[in-house]
Amino acid sequence: MGTEKSIIMGSDHAAFELKEKIKGYLTDKGYSIEDAGTQSAASVNYVDYGKKVAGAVSNGQFSKGILLCGTGLGMSMVANRFSKVRAALCSDIFSAKMSRVHNDSNILVLGGRLVGDVLAFELVQTWLDTPFEGGRHLERIQAIDH
Ligand code: RB5
């Protein structure tokens, strides 16, 4: 299992540039990033990259992942098919925070065509810094997989 400072990321072409920027931001903050691709702005199918990242979180190889596509919708749909994955598509800070506090989200999904770099960095930082509240919410998230 990856450490708390180790994160797997993936995107399609539509969010390749934002993935690279977030990767740089997190690397500068001391995070270790496993980049599941894509590695260029050439057109690809988001499903392939969503499966790689969600699979690695689902099997416990990584405790957290970040996925990006144009809207974030396709990546969320793919990721949430995987057991034990709770992927949260966020474009506002309150949702990024609450997805951790109440839902213990383990994949943050961003839309590269929706959020700018600065907001994306804030969303990522908020999401990483916010702990799960547990308590009554633990039972609720456990019920998702059972
Ligand atoms: C690619 O054009 C686009 O469909 C993809 O990035 C994503 O937004 C899908 O949900």
Side-chain angles (χ1 to χ4, degrees), residues 34-82:
E34 171 76 16
D35 188 347
T38 187
Q39 301 300 350
S40 80
S43 185
V44 291
N45 187 341
Y46 63 85
V47 177
D48 299 331
Y49 302 90
K51 283 182 174 176
K52 281 187 198 173
V53 170
V57 171
S58 180
N59 71 18
Q61 211 185 332
F62 286 85
S63 57
K64 284 204 169 89
I66 298 174
L67 278 171
L68 307 96
C69 63
T71 58
L73 290 167
M75 286 298 198
S76 320
M77 290 174 191
V78 172
N80 280 314
R81 292 279 182 110
F82 284 72

